Amino acid sequence: MTDVFEKRRYRLRAMKKLLSSYLPADQMTACPKCQREMPIREKEDHLGVCPYCGYHWPLGAQKRLQMLMDGGAYTELHADLAASDPLEFPGYGDKLADARKKTGMAEAVLTATGEIDGRACVVCVLDGRFMMGSMGAAVGEKLTLAIEYALENRLPLIIFSASGGARMQEGILSLMQMAKTSAAIRRFGDAGLLYISVLTDPTTGGVTASFASLGDVILAEPGARIGFAGPRVIEQTIGEKLPYNFQRAEFVMEHGFVDAVIERGKLRAALADLLRVHEGGRT
Amino acid sequence: MNLSAHERVLIARHPQRPNAREYIDALFTSFFEMKGDRLCGEDGAILGGVALYHGRPVTVIATRKGRTLEENLRGHFGMPSPEGYRKAQRLMRQAEKFRRPVITLIDTSGAYPGMQAEERGQGEAIARCLSEMSALRVPIVAVITGEGNSGGALALAVADRVLMMENAVYAILSPEGFASILYKDASRAAQAAGVMRLTAPDLMALGVIDGIIPEPAGGAHADAAGAMRALDAAITAQLDMLSGKSGETLAAERYDKFRRMQAYTTLAPCASQGDEHEQAD
């Protein structure tokens, strides 16, 4: 049996080589879960979901919105707001510059308005490529401004989380963003408005312990890691290896903290349904 | 006292430093402990109940570091589980119902990072604490008495007034955790403490806390009674200032207080949408 698979892997590698020699632009990528190789284009055609095993690659914020919003169109809010390195933390400035270059974003969250299936809403997307989607004071401020904008305009709010948690380089000020965003969500909710939290891989630490866990509806992408403490820390505490499914979206749903696990390809339809049911909110 | 950040961390963790039970016994009368989250469990890491404070009814919620190994094992050395945070929420709602102020005493190295705590929604439990406290319509005074680490401490610190004992520390994470994440080396905790801005004077300067409670020479463990007196005076002063305000005013001012936790700049808008880079696998 192993021989067959080895041969197949060898053929795949050979094919990849051949392909890349003819199509230099068409690079290959491998699924981190099932290890199958495929052209990047094929991965993109499947919305960043492995066509063989269903693995969901993390998705950049701009792509997420293009995929989600009507006609791929959205208007960005506070696009220029960015971290200021308030503690003058060694090396932070360079890290920020790298992340900005890599993502074309000023910060780890993109906040926008647009329509989903004809219904106006505010959508915020954390981007894991930008310093692991971590929440510093600028991310907290952008989120809070977006929440307040949604409240003022009585629009439903959708936040896609993808974050390692609070941003270490801004220390206590990052921690305070947990309180700030949670307070803003509370005020928004008390006004009778709908907040849908979508947890994508990974959602951990201070983001899980604040706005991400406070949705009226909480959705998750398949296989997304969702938790407060990181798996390494837990393994150190209990002194054993954690099972693969621990803290995965399906596991978290079984324990009662997620309403539904929804494949990326069906998310737009699910959100459209939820917006339709909640249309108008409390008046 | 002119101490380094790391020295303050050591004082904040001193085994003889007064703990929650001792502060409560010294400051309050008729303390009645209330257990359980009314959902599924009880967590010894959170000590909460009702008491009289100079004759006025209050709700007290504290993280509990034990004195004995048995006590500590019961409460994971003062690291709360979701049941503890949910008990805290229940006691806060109860305080609102009976219109009594809430006093929280915080000394924890963080929320407990265990498998069962995760299964039972540690993140949700903390998030809900932040949400509940942000809108509570009674006065809340929080005091970091020792260590206040991470969301596990913040969960009890969304207060109208946040005070710190002079040698207490308050941070995003323990210096060990911070060093292990940023330097990949937990043994560089002393260095981490130096850059984290976790001492009371640092946090006062950053506008994160509202007051520093002086400790007796040598630290609270050197003169527990003196530390109790200073804590008592500080809490009394803050409660007096808050007691005349309506619930609406308190909640609105508390919102504004945390809303002002800001630090950002503006960049020229990004012209490009950015090339789509591959996520690291």
Side-chain angles (χ1 to χ4, degrees):
Chain A
M1 273 311 274
T2 29
D3 266 355
V4 179
F5 283 112
E6 243 157 42
K7 259 185 202 159
R8 185 178 290 172
R9 267 202 290 275
Y10 175 76
R11 277 210 303 274
L12 264 167
R13 268 199 298 274
M15 222 149 74
K16 176 194 157 190
K17 239 183 181 168
L18 197 71
L19 262 173
S20 53
S21 65
Y22 282 110
L23 302 163
D26 212 356
Q27 288 177 351
M28 301 292 286
T29 188
C31 169
K33 192 172 170 201
C34 72
Q35 267 79 50
R36 289 281 284 268
E37 300 205 6
M38 68 198 86
I40 287 178
R41 187 180 299 157
E42 185 181 354
K43 171 192 148 188
E44 309 276 301
D45 286 348
H46 286 86
L47 313 175
V49 177
C50 176
Y52 306 104
C53 75
Y55 171 77
H56 283 53
W57 267 275
L59 197 61
Q62 301 104 327
K63 256 190 200 165
R64 168 77 69 186
L65 283 173
Q66 283 157 15
M67 196 177 283
L68 185 72
M69 310 306 286
D70 291 353
Y74 57 92
T75 309
E76 220 181 317
L77 300 167
H78 313 105
D80 56 347
L81 214 146
S84 64
D85 194 2
L87 305 188
E88 294 169 356
F89 195 87
Y92 184 31
D94 294 339
K95 277 217 155 116
L96 284 170
D98 284 351
R100 282 171 190 150
K101 212 170 121 193
K102 187 159 105 184
T103 59
M105 292 163 63
E107 253 303 342
V109 66
L110 199 163
T111 60
T113 59
E115 293 189 349
I116 295 175
D117 201 23
R119 289 174 176 82
C121 52
V122 171
V123 185
C124 308
V125 189
L126 285 133
D127 193 317
R129 298 170 305 167
F130 196 113
M131 295 193 70
M132 291 174 68
S134 56
M135 175 163 66
V139 169
E141 184 67 20
K142 266 184 99 165
L143 283 166
T144 305
L145 286 168
I147 298 163
E148 288 173 344
Y149 179 91
L151 174 59
E152 264 165 51
N153 295 281
R154 299 199 66 81
L155 292 170
L157 170 72
I158 303 170
I159 303 180
F160 286 81
S161 291
S163 177
R167 189 174 293 171
M168 292 298 141
Q169 291 86 348
E170 295 185 31
I172 194 87
L173 292 172
S174 297
L175 195 71
M176 292 301 125
Q177 305 311 308
M178 293 168 61
K180 184 165 97 180
T181 54
S182 298
I185 290 290
R186 173 60 178 257
R187 191 172 263 203
F188 177 81
D190 284 349
L193 296 163
L194 171 69
Y195 164 37
I196 304 172
S197 173
V198 187
L199 313 179
T200 72
D201 192 43
T203 298
T204 57
V207 166
T208 302
S210 62
F211 62 86
S213 290
L214 295 171
D216 297 300
V217 184
I218 303 182
L219 308 178
E221 284 196 338
R225 183 177 287 282
I226 299 159
F228 177 64
R232 243 179 354 125
V233 179
I234 301 170
E235 282 173 357
Q236 276 165 17
T237 312
I238 62 173
E240 50 188 287
K241 211 91 185 108
L242 292 166
Y244 175 81
N245 72 338
F246 183 70
Q247 288 185 328
R248 300 286 170 189
E250 298 74 11
F251 174 95
V252 177
M253 180 171 70
E254 274 169 30
H255 284 87
F257 294 95
V258 161
D259 288 289
V261 175
I262 298 180
E263 293 165 41
R264 193 168 288 167
K266 294 179 178 164
L267 253 180
R268 187 178 135 86
L271 290 170
D273 277 348
L274 285 168
L275 292 177
R276 190 177 318 116
V277 171
H278 290 85
E279 202 154 35
R282 191 170 77 190
T283 47
Chain B
M1 276 180 288
N2 207 358
L3 297 167
S4 75
H6 182 59
E7 285 166 333
R8 294 215 199 250
V9 171
L10 297 179
I11 296 179
R13 290 176 181 170
H14 196 286
Q16 296 311 316
R17 201 169 167 82
N19 71 10
R21 182 78 228 191
E22 290 153 8
Y23 279 124
I24 289 173
D25 287 345
L27 266 62
F28 303 94
T29 54
S30 309
F31 177 66
F32 189 96
E33 182 180 356
M34 295 178 173
K35 291 181 180 168
D37 63 2
R38 297 296 187 273
L39 296 165
C40 70
E42 152 67 9
D43 176 15
I46 299 263
L47 170 61
V50 290
L52 292 176
Y53 184 58
H54 298 291
R56 87 181 114 180
V58 294
T59 287
V60 190
I61 302 169
T63 57
R64 169 161 49 189
K65 282 185 183 170
R67 275 276 172 249
T68 64
L69 184 63
E70 194 191 324
E71 266 181 345
N72 270 324
L73 290 176
R74 207 163 47 222
H76 289 130
F77 292 83
M79 290 185 277
S81 292
E83 297 72 38
Y85 292 117
R86 294 186 181 119
K87 173 168 71 177
Q89 291 160 33
R90 176 173 81 83
L91 296 184
M92 286 180 210
R93 283 192 296 268
Q94 195 190 61
E96 188 173 58
K97 172 181 172 182
F98 294 106
R99 298 187 186 179
R100 53 184 177 238
V102 175
I103 297 165
T104 66
L105 303 174
I106 299 158
D107 180 12
T108 178
S109 52
Y112 185 64
M115 251 177 117
Q116 288 172 340
E118 290 293 315
E119 286 171 359
R120 298 197 289 255
Q122 186 72 287
E124 191 274 346
I126 294 171
R128 195 68 58 190
C129 272
L130 306 181
S131 171
E132 289 286 332
M133 289 187 90
S134 77
L136 208 71
R137 286 156 183 269
V138 290
I140 311 175
V141 175
V143 185
I144 321 282
T145 60
E147 285 180 280
N149 286 342
S150 93
L154 178 69
L156 299 180
V158 184
D160 301 302
R161 297 285 191 274
V162 181
L163 309 176
M164 280 175 79
M165 299 290 286
E166 186 182 341
N167 294 309
V169 292
Y170 187 19
I172 186 170
L173 196 59
S174 70
E176 289 78 10
F178 191 90
S180 118
I181 288 179
L182 276 185
Y183 311 140
K184 312 284 173 221
D185 181 2
S187 66
R188 289 166 70 182
Q191 183 191 348
V195 295
M196 287 174 74
R197 308 265 195 112
L198 42 65
T199 68
D202 281 340
L203 295 168
M204 194 74 196
L206 285 169
V208 169
I209 60 164
D210 305 292
I212 300 176
I213 302 168
E215 288 185 28
H221 58 278
D223 174 10
M228 307 283 179
R229 277 194 301 275
L231 178 62
D232 188 21
I235 295 176
T236 301
Q238 296 299 344
L239 276 187
D240 285 346
M241 275 190 270
L242 295 169
S243 61
K245 301 187 186 214
S246 72
E248 285 67 30
T249 305
L250 287 164
E253 290 182 358
R254 198 180 307 127
Y255 185 89
D256 291 340
K257 171 184 166 67
F258 286 90
R259 184 70 189 82
R260 284 193 301 271
M261 302 284 178
Q262 294 168 340
Y264 59 88
T265 181
T266 49
L267 297 179
C270 296
S272 78
Q273 281 277 292
D275 18 341
E276 296 295 347
H277 282 255
E278 264 247 67
Q279 192 87 27
D281 290 339

